[in-house]
């Protein structure tokens, strides 16, 4: 921070016209001065050694000086940097000087829990990212900006407008919430609505650095520092971009003729002994001649339901400061029209931050943030799109119900075996939205009574509202019935309204004191504080419907059947925490943290927990015996500590009842009064390396992360009538072991600056204990078992396809003789998936199911390139994962034909008696094998993606000043430009519904987009 204040002060000096008077000389020397971080240095004093002849570098770090002696020397001096003197030797142009920071005058500090610490004295595992690392793509999602730039697993949940990204640090250690804790400007719960405000991000990955946050730190901590007002003239900045989005990986569907041909092929696949079908077997529509087919619609329903999405974002901030006060005001607006019909996300937010220093030892700051967002959430279900018949028009004015949507007439409907609907009608007649309103405020007081002692107090309050509404107009089509049914008065469906509302309030008070003292070579630090939180949540929901089919106002939905619920919950916690740091001669380092938390989430007697950590470091490069000239930084680190997780339902220790219609009370669950914290212990060994004045840096960390007392849900015995079949207890143990490597190299050749960085992490996830349960269920396809990963895929092992009926009959004969049942229960036939008989008992049943895949990546990696040349900037960000599986549950729809569904050209690769050299099962849904969990559906989910590529141009100062601006940058970028993967689904980058149901790619997945962005940054 001192560095930035110094630079801004020198800029002010330069702009006021204060500079040295050029001395006359016999030679002219031109050049530029940069830092060892490749940043141009403004206001560097350049003097001819031994004289008063001197100049100051300009805003680009450039200088031009006339010398009296062409073979003399130049001295370069700058506050915070080591003064350097070089011989000119008749050099007249393109002289390049690199100044190195003087650690005795200026030491880089980074944000840590409840304070800052010299980077050289940090002994925990912390990844630090600055402005140049983060602001390289058009996004308002801070999580997405981390992707590929740090050794953490970041993935978009989906392409739904307004959807965020998930961040996993060092694997998953819980079946509950695994998201890291976000701290903005030192305050938990502070909103981060405007990514353009972010100045830096620190990732606290091990217990030695994160234990100071105790109860919420088990999944890591993200510390965000935002921009503040700085001395100088009023600064006004605008940042905006427009994106053109196109959905990735959309399937190619069969046209009308292909649909007819496929339907016949499916019938023949299910009736291999009957030959070609006749009109006695299937309806007349499927026997239309090519000429008749050409007269019918040929609708591409994927093209109808997906289009170009336009996304735009704008933010503006105004800041300034004087000797005793500063301010930062910002506003943002974004609007994202989704690629899927009738989906949209809109948000606006305002923020004000004022700081006052009425006395040298007293400082106040007030921050207020308000945001409003709304998402039109037309839930994507590919079932509607895939089932739509290509022979049906999108619109039809002759529709007798007057909706205007296409359908089949009575006459035509009798010729086709089809029960689908018009997906556009289903989307247009459903109004589903979510709204959020968040008001947040913080008052901070900082007192510095004596040198080195800083007392900070924060009082924070939050009020938030979240409402969801799903209103279904009376429809005349839909997925389950067609328009003819409504004309005849059948299957009537009226208006439906499903509404819920949540209001929450929370308060936080923390106060802590930091003290630092340097005594000779001894650098001492201490911090102690406490924190109190209070919260309340009120939930209400209701459902209503009106059973008369009529297009009418929304209020009519409330006139018939009604149902509703209401609930509220309160919570409180208090914490005491502290830290001690010690460094001797910048060589030997020690940090110890402690935190004691108590919360009423858990039962009395189980509410308090203690979280300690300790780390040590050794700066070998500062030892006298270390003589490696080119290595300027070499640090060894070791840390161990324990952190907690309380992100669970607050009421698992309490019994709850619901009043039944008969007047009796029914218990809703089985309480466990021993439920307590999940605790995670992390051991970390790390090494930091810097060479060539930190032009090259490397960080390597090895860690062992073990979670004990993980909360797991187990089934109650069926004879216990308590209203719930499950309860939670602290019986889980989960291990994550791995290694993280991050490398970077920066350099400069004349005016060309470059930075190349890369990172990779390896993580092995393993479940050690799940109590008395044999497994933990995670939906239809996931199970968590001992010695396997969390949420492993569970199913049958595919062993090719059945090729002949004789093969099936032989297996059935043996099984019938031994067990009295068919070998593989179900209507199987040639071309169906064959399952392995793993236990060798001569039949296929549940005992032949096993683990068939791992949804968590073993490797996560990224590679980044940043180039600069005379105002041009080029950024490229690659990211990927490896050794990860995906359960592609869309296969049975995209390469098969279920009932009357349409499909893709992949169906022609299916098994037939004439196409037996294929791994793809036969067409049709008569068999159950395609739909049971099995390894044929598991695919390699590894991928490498060019996540972002951007080219920008910063206009020269001479041009910008004529426009009365301080800066002007334009850029163009492409997101998700290239993807290399073997996965056959729409997109390999996605996160499952929750930790227990990971990696299942389903028919509700909203695809991400390939985006072209155009951006503008302006400073006034």
């Amino acid at each position: 921070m001192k560095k930035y204040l110094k630079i801004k002060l020198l800029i002010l000096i330069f702009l006021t016209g204060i500079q040295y008077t050029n001395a006359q000389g016999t030679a002219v020397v031109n050049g530029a001065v940069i830092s060892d971080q490749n940043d141009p240095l403004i206001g560097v004093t350049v003097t001819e050694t031994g004289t008063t002849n001197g100049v100051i570098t300009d805003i680009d770090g450039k200088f031009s000086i006339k010398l009296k002696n062409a073979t003399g020397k130049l001295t370069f001096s700058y506050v915070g940097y080591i003064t350097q003197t070089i011989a000119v030797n008749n050099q007249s142009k393109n002289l390049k000087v690199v100044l190195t920071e003087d650690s005795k005058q200026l030491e880089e500090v980074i944000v840590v829990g409840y304070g800052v610490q010299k980077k050289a004295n940090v002994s925990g595992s912390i990844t630090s990212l600055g402005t140049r690392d983060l602001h390289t793509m058009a996004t308002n999602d801070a999580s997405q900006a981390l992707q590929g730039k740090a050794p953490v697993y970041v993935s978009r949940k989906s392409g739904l407008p307004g959807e965020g990204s998930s961040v996993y640090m060092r694997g998953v250690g819980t079946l509950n919430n695994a998201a890291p804790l976000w701290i903005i400007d030192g305050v938990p719960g502070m909103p981060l609505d405007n990514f353009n405000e972010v100045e830096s991000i620190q990732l606290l990955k091990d217990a030695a650095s994160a234990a100071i946050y105790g109860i919420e730190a088990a999944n890591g901590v993200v510390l965000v520092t935002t921009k503040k007002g700085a001395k100088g003239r009023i600064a006004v900045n605008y940042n905006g971009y427009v994106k053109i989005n196109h959905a990735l990986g959309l399937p190619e569907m069969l046209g009308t003729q292909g649909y007819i041909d496929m339907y016949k092929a499916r019938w023949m696949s299910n009736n291999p002994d009957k030959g070609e079908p006749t009109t006695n077997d299937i309806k007349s529509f499927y026997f239309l001649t090519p000429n008749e087919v050409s007269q019918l619609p040929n609708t591409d329903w994927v093209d109808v339901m997906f289009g170009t999405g336009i996304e735009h974002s704008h933010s503006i901030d105004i800041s300034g400061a004087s000797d005793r006060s500063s301010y930062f005001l910002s506003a943002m607006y974004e609007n994202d029209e989704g690629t899927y019909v009738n989906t949209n996300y809109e948000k606006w937010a305002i923020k004000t931050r004022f700081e006052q220093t009425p006395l040298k030892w007293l400082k106040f700051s007030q921050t207020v943030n308000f945001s409003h967002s709304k998402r039109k959430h037309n839930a994507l279900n590919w079932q509607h799109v895939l089932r739509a018949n290509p022979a049906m028009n999108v619109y039809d004015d002759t529709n007798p119900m007057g909706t205007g949507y296409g359908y089949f007439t009575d006459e035509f409907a009798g010729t086709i075996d089809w029960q689908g609907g018009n997906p556009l009608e289903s989307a247009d007649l459903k109004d589903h939205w979510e709204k959020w309103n968040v008001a947040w405020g913080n008052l901070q007081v900082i007192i510095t009574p004596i040198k080195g002692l800083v007392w900070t107090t924060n009082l924070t309050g939050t009020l938030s509202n979240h409402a969801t509404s799903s209103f279904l107009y009376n429809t005349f089509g839909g997925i389950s019935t067609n328009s003819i049914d409504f004309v005849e008065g059948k299957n009537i469906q009226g208006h439906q309204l499903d509404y819920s509302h949540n209001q929450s309030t929370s308060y936080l008070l923390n106060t802590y004191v930091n003290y630092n003292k340097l005594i000779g070579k001894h650098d001492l630090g201490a911090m102690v504080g406490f924190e109190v939180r209070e919260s309340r949540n009120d939930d209400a929901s209701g459902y209503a419907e009106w059973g008369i089919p009529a297009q009418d106002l929304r209020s009519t939905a409330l006139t018939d059947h009604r149902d509703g619920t209401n609930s509220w919950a309160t919570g409180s916690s208090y914490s005491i925490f502290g830290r001690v740091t010690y460094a001797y001669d910048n060589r030997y380092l020690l940090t110890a943290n402690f935190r004691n938390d108590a919360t009423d989430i858990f039962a009395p007697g189980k509410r308090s927990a203690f979280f300690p950590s300790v780390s040590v470091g050794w700066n070998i490069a500062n030892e006298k015996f270390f003589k490696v000239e080119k290595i300027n930084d070499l640090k060894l680190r070791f840390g161990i500590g324990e952190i907690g997780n309380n992100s669970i339902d607050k009421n698992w220790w309490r019994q709850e009842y619901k009043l039944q219609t008969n007047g009796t009370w029914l218990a809703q669950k089985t309480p466990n009064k021993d439920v307590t914290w999940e605790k995670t212990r992390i051991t970390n060994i790390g090494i930091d390396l810097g060479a060539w004045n930190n032009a090259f840096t490397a960080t390597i960390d090895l860690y062992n992360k073990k979670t004990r007392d993980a909360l797991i849900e187990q089934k109650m015995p069926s004879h216990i009538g308590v209203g719930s079949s499950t309860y939670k207890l602290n019986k889980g143990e989960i291990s994550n072991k791995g290694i993280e490597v991050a490398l970077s190299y920066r350099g400069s050749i004349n005016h060309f600056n470059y930075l190349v960085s890369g990172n990779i992490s390896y993580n092995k996830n393993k479940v050690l204990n799940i109590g008395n349960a044999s497994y933990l269920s995670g939906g239809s396809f996931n199970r968590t078992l001992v010695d396997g990963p969390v949420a492993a895929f569970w199913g049958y092992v595919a062993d090719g396809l059945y090729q002949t009926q004789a093969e099936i009959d032989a297996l059935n004969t043996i099984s019938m003789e031994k067990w009295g049942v068919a070998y593989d229960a179900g209507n199987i036939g040639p071309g169906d998936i064959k399952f392995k008989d793993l236990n060798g008992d001569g039949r296929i049943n549940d005992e032949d199911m096993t683990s068939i895949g791992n949804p968590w990546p073993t490797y996560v990696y990224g590679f980044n390139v940043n180039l600069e040349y005379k105002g041009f900037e080029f950024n490229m960000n690659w990211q990927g994962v490896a050794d990860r599986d995906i359960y592609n549950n869309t296969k049975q729809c995209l390469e098969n034909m279920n009932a009357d569904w349409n499909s893709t050209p992949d169906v022609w690769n299916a098994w037939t008696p004439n196409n037996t050299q294929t791994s793809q099962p036969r067409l049709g849904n008569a068999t159950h094998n395609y739909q049971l969990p099995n390894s044929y559906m598991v695919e390699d989910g590894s991928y490498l993606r060019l996540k972002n590529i951007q080219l920008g141009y910063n206009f020269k100062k001479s041009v910008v000043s004529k426009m009365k601006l301080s800066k002007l940058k334009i850029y163009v970028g492409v997101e998700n430009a290239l993807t290399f993967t073997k996965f056959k689904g729409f997109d390999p980058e996605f996160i499952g519904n929750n930790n227990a149901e990971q990696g299942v790619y389903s028919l509700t997945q909203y695809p991400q987009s390939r985006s072209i962005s155009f951006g503008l940054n302006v400073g006034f």
Side-chain angles (χ1 to χ4, degrees):
M1 183 59 68
K2 291 181 180 179
K3 176 180 176 181
Y4 295 126
L5 290 174
K6 170 203 62 184
I7 291 176
K8 289 183 179 291
L9 180 60
L10 290 173
I11 292 174
L12 180 61
I13 295 173
F14 174 75
L15 293 176
T16 56
I18 300 175
Q19 63 178 21
Y20 287 91
T21 303
N22 292 346
Q24 299 295 319
T26 60
V28 177
V29 176
N30 301 313
V33 183
I34 62 173
S35 71
D36 54 1
Q37 301 297 315
N38 285 322
D39 295 319
L41 295 180
I42 310 162
V44 176
T45 300
V46 184
T47 58
E48 184 176 4
T49 307
T51 74
T52 59
N53 177 30
V55 296
I56 292 178
T57 58
D58 65 14
I59 196 168
D60 297 315
K62 297 178 181 179
F63 68 91
S64 178
I65 184 171
K66 293 180 180 180
L67 300 182
K68 296 178 181 179
N69 184 357
T71 60
K73 296 181 179 181
L74 286 176
T75 299
F76 300 82
S77 60
Y78 194 42
V79 177
Y81 286 76
I82 298 174
T83 299
Q84 187 175 157
T85 300
I86 63 173
V88 177
N89 296 328
N90 292 307
Q91 299 182 72
S92 62
K93 59 181 180 179
N94 294 331
L95 183 64
K96 189 166 189 178
V97 180
V98 179
L99 295 186
T100 303
E101 290 184 2
D102 185 351
S103 60
K104 293 182 180 179
Q105 297 184 50
L106 178 66
E107 294 197 14
E108 182 181 359
V109 296
I110 62 174
V111 177
V112 295
Y114 300 101
V116 296
Q117 194 173 3
K118 295 177 182 178
K119 185 176 182 180
N121 291 348
V122 171
S123 51
S125 179
I126 300 177
T127 295
S128 183
L129 299 171
T131 298
R132 293 180 63 189
D133 303 302
L134 298 168
H135 294 280
T136 59
M137 65 186 303
T139 183
N140 206 32
D141 181 3
S143 299
Q144 189 177 6
L146 299 175
Q147 195 171 34
K149 298 171 184 175
V152 293
Y153 180 31
V154 182
S155 183
R156 282 289 302 271
K157 296 178 181 178
S158 77
L160 180 69
E163 191 72 272
S165 302
S166 294
V167 180
Y168 290 91
M169 292 189 191
R170 298 184 168 183
V172 58
T174 179
L175 292 171
N176 299 292
N177 184 9
L181 171 66
W182 287 73
I183 306 289
I184 316 299
D185 288 334
V187 183
M190 178 178 176
L192 183 59
D193 296 311
N194 189 350
F195 179 63
N196 289 299
E197 297 175 3
V198 175
E199 187 172 84
S200 67
I201 293 179
Q202 276 74 41
L203 306 177
L204 312 186
K205 298 178 292 183
D206 68 337
S209 55
I212 197 68
Y213 289 107
I215 59 176
E216 299 170 307
N219 304 307
V221 180
V222 182
L223 300 181
V224 180
T225 302
T226 64
K227 300 173 183 177
K228 300 176 178 64
K231 288 184 179 180
R233 64 172 186 165
I234 298 175
V236 181
N237 295 286
Y238 166 81
N239 294 275
Y241 62 81
V242 176
K243 286 185 183 180
I244 303 172
N245 298 326
H246 296 277
L248 285 173
L250 295 180
E252 176 189 356
M253 305 303 295
L254 295 174
T256 302
Q257 185 64 62
Y259 177 83
I260 290 173
D261 295 340
M262 181 187 65
Y263 196 91
K264 288 182 179 179
R266 184 183 75 90
W267 187 91
M268 295 175 64
S269 175
N270 289 331
N271 301 275
D273 300 328
K274 296 185 178 180
E276 293 281 344
T278 67
T279 52
N280 293 325
D281 303 309
I282 55 179
K283 295 185 178 180
S284 59
F285 169 77
Y286 305 101
F287 296 93
L288 296 175
T289 66
N291 183 58
E292 291 172 322
V293 171
S294 67
Q295 306 302 313
L296 295 174
N298 189 28
T299 303
D300 184 343
W301 286 101
V302 171
D303 189 57
V304 170
M305 302 303 291
F306 285 90
T308 300
I310 303 297
E311 176 184 353
H312 55 99
S313 176
H314 314 272
S315 73
I316 188 168
D317 61 74
I318 304 172
S319 63
S322 64
D323 290 336
R324 291 181 176 256
S325 65
S326 69
Y327 58 90
F328 185 92
L329 314 175
S330 70
M332 64 81 63
Y333 173 79
E334 66 175 316
N335 191 303
D336 184 0
E337 290 288 344
T339 56
Y340 186 66
V341 65
N342 289 343
T343 55
N344 170 266
Y345 179 76
E346 185 178 26
K347 180 177 183 178
W348 60 265
I350 56 175
K351 175 183 177 180
T352 63
R353 180 183 178 95
F354 296 95
E355 295 183 352
Q356 305 88 34
T357 310
L359 302 170
K360 289 184 178 180
W361 53 269
L362 179 62
K363 181 178 180 179
F364 296 97
S365 71
Q366 309 88 36
T367 306
V368 177
N369 193 99
F370 183 81
S371 66
H372 168 80
S373 52
K374 179 179 179 180
R375 175 161 60 193
K376 191 171 184 180
H377 186 348
N378 189 357
L380 170 58
N381 190 331
W382 280 94
Q383 177 180 350
H384 296 84
V385 182
L386 298 179
R387 198 170 185 179
N389 195 299
M392 185 173 65
N393 277 316
V394 179
Y395 297 103
D396 188 345
D397 293 335
T398 66
N399 188 327
M401 299 305 294
T403 66
Y405 295 97
Y407 73 105
F408 290 133
T409 63
D410 289 341
E411 180 181 356
F412 192 80
T415 70
I416 185 171
D417 184 14
W418 182 75
Q419 295 294 318
N422 186 316
L424 186 60
E425 179 189 34
S426 299
D428 284 350
L429 297 185
K430 185 175 184 180
D431 184 12
H432 183 187
W433 54 258
E434 294 181 84
K435 289 182 181 179
W436 297 264
N437 292 297
V438 179
W440 182 93
N442 171 252
L443 172 64
Q444 184 182 76
V445 181
I446 300 177
I447 301 174
T448 310
I450 60 174
K451 183 179 179 180
L453 181 66
V454 181
W455 180 11
T456 305
T457 300
N458 286 285
L459 177 61
T460 300
T462 305
L463 171 63
S464 64
N465 291 280
H466 176 217
T468 64
S469 174
S470 179
F471 184 76
L472 179 65
Y473 291 91
N474 173 49
T475 60
F476 307 101
I479 194 61
S480 61
T481 58
N482 59 38
S483 301
I484 306 306
D485 290 328
F486 289 103
V487 173
E488 297 172 352
K490 301 176 182 178
N491 297 324
I492 294 176
Q493 181 180 4
H495 296 317
Q496 294 180 356
L497 174 64
D498 199 343
Y499 181 85
S500 65
H501 180 268
N502 168 268
Q503 177 172 295
S504 64
T505 56
S506 64
Y507 307 93
L508 176 147
L509 170 66
N510 66 31
T511 184
Y512 51 93
V513 178
N514 278 282
Y515 181 72
N516 291 277
K517 181 72 173 179
L518 182 62
I519 305 174
K521 295 182 179 182
H522 304 275
D523 193 345
L524 304 171
M527 184 272 294
V528 65
F530 76 88
E531 186 171 277
V532 178
R533 301 190 193 191
E534 295 282 346
S535 65
R536 175 178 174 124
N537 284 278
D538 293 272
D539 293 283
S541 62
Y543 171 82
E545 66 180 24
W546 188 37
I548 301 175
Q551 300 285 335
D552 204 343
L553 298 177
R554 177 182 300 240
S555 59
T556 61
L558 302 175
T559 62
D560 194 4
H561 175 72
R562 293 180 295 274
D563 190 13
T565 62
N566 182 71
S567 65
W568 62 271
T570 61
S572 63
S573 67
Y574 68 86
S575 309
I576 301 173
F577 49 86
R579 175 174 55 238
V580 175
T581 62
Y582 173 72
Y584 175 74
D585 196 23
N586 290 322
R587 289 184 287 165
Y588 311 118
L589 317 172
L590 170 68
T591 300
N593 295 284
F594 77 88
R595 182 163 179 138
N596 193 90
D597 289 305
T599 175
D600 61 1
I601 288 177
F602 304 110
K606 301 292 182 179
R607 293 177 173 176
S608 181
F610 183 70
F611 301 103
S613 73
V614 63
S615 62
V616 294
W618 180 22
N619 278 320
I620 302 175
N622 292 337
E623 295 286 358
K624 293 182 180 179
F625 65 78
F626 192 80
K627 303 296 183 181
V628 183
E629 181 179 351
K630 294 182 178 180
I631 296 180
N632 54 283
D633 184 22
L634 180 60
K635 184 199 297 182
L636 296 180
R637 296 177 281 103
F638 172 79
I640 185 171
E642 194 162 75
I643 41 187
N645 185 18
N646 69 335
S647 299
I648 66 163
D649 186 341
K650 296 180 179 180
N651 298 313
W652 272 106
W653 64 275
R654 296 171 177 167
Q655 180 59 278
E656 292 182 344
Y657 299 89
K658 183 177 181 179
L659 181 63
Q660 305 299 295
T661 55
N662 61 4
T664 62
W665 292 88
L666 177 66
Q668 294 299 290
K669 63 186 175 186
T670 304
N672 179 2
K673 294 188 176 181
D674 291 323
V675 168
T676 187
W677 308 85
E678 295 183 346
K679 296 181 180 180
T680 299
R681 176 171 295 179
I682 304 178
T683 304
N684 193 93
I685 299 174
I687 182 171
D688 299 327
L689 173 68
W692 300 289
N693 289 324
N694 283 330
F696 172 78
T697 62
T699 299
I700 303 174
D701 281 279
L702 288 85
Y703 63 86
N704 185 351
K705 174 181 175 181
K706 183 178 179 181
T707 301
R708 73 179 194 276
D709 293 336
L711 279 163
I712 59 177
E713 193 167 300
Q714 294 196 345
K715 293 183 178 181
M716 289 292 295
S718 59
H719 64 275
I720 300 179
V722 292
S724 175
S725 61
T726 63
Y727 69 110
K728 282 198 175 184
L729 69 165
N730 297 93
K731 289 293 185 179
E733 291 185 16
I734 302 171
S735 168
N736 286 276
K737 297 179 180 180
I739 182 172
E740 299 168 339
V741 179
L743 307 172
S744 70
Y745 185 83
R746 66 178 72 236
S748 181
I749 304 174
N750 294 326
H751 297 286
F752 178 67
N753 301 320
Y754 58 90
L755 169 62
V756 179
S757 63
N759 61 83
I760 186 170
S761 64
Y762 164 87
N763 184 76
K764 181 68 173 179
N765 178 257
K766 186 178 181 180
V767 178
L768 305 178
N769 188 9
I770 54 173
N772 297 325
S774 56
Y775 66 89
L776 304 177
S777 179
S780 301
F781 308 103
N782 302 88
R783 284 189 182 182
T784 297
L785 302 96
V786 172
D787 293 332
V790 171
F793 300 135
W794 185 259
Y796 296 99
V797 177
D799 189 22
L801 305 177
Y802 292 109
Q803 296 295 332
T804 65
Q805 187 61 44
E807 176 187 7
I808 298 171
D809 292 343
L811 292 170
N812 283 338
T813 298
I814 297 173
S815 181
M816 289 297 294
E817 292 176 353
K818 187 175 182 179
W819 301 104
V821 296
Y823 174 76
D824 190 348
N827 186 21
I828 60 173
D832 288 333
I833 301 173
K834 183 195 299 184
F835 297 149
K836 279 189 177 182
D837 180 11
L838 295 183
N839 63 359
D841 65 355
R843 62 175 177 175
I844 299 298
N845 58 18
D846 289 351
E847 295 179 5
D848 296 304
M849 300 179 77
T850 187
S851 179
I852 55 175
N854 182 1
W856 303 101
T858 303
Y859 301 95
V860 177
Y861 57 95
F863 179 74
N864 305 280
V865 176
N866 300 322
L867 309 176
E868 298 176 0
Y869 181 74
K870 292 185 176 181
F872 287 97
E873 292 181 0
F874 176 80
N875 302 298
M876 182 168 58
N877 171 217
W878 293 83
Q879 62 88 210
V881 303
D883 194 23
R884 177 212 185 194
D885 299 315
I886 296 177
Y887 194 94
N888 187 1
N889 201 35
T890 66
K891 265 185 168 183
Q892 59 178 302
C893 300
L894 298 179
E895 64 178 31
N896 194 16
M897 186 178 183
N898 288 323
D900 57 349
W901 291 34
N902 198 0
S903 191
T904 70
D906 286 342
V907 295
W908 303 119
N909 298 323
W911 184 97
T912 68
N914 298 320
N915 182 34
T916 59
Q917 301 302 311
T918 179
S919 61
Q920 186 173 317
R922 65 176 171 137
L923 297 178
N925 63 341
T927 173
H928 72 163
N929 282 19
Y930 214 130
Q931 301 172 13
L932 293 177
N934 67 87
S935 62
Y936 173 74
M937 313 297 283
V938 177
E939 298 183 13
D940 184 355
S942 304
Y943 70 88
L944 170 62
R945 169 165 285 172
L946 179 53
K947 191 64 182 179
N948 183 66
I949 185 170
Q950 186 182 100
L951 177 64
Y953 180 71
N954 293 282
F955 285 82
K956 294 181 180 180
K957 180 65 177 178
S958 59
V959 176
V960 172
S961 60
K962 292 179 181 179
M963 303 170 66
K964 306 300 182 182
L965 302 175
S966 60
K967 66 177 180 179
L968 176 61
K969 177 184 177 181
I970 58 174
Y971 64 86
V972 60
V974 181
E975 292 177 30
N976 299 322
L978 296 171
T979 303
F980 301 94
T981 184
K982 296 180 181 179
F983 180 59
K984 296 180 181 178
F986 309 149
D987 183 14
E989 181 194 336
F990 75 102
I991 294 292
N993 294 328
N994 54 60
N995 296 339
E997 299 180 53
Q998 272 291 312
V1000 179
Y1001 203 86
S1002 68
L1003 289 173
T1004 60
Q1005 192 67 30
Y1006 196 117
Q1008 285 198 76
S1009 298
R1010 178 174 291 113
S1011 306
I1012 301 175
S1013 59
F1014 302 91
L1016 174 67
N1017 298 340
V1018 183
F1020 300 91

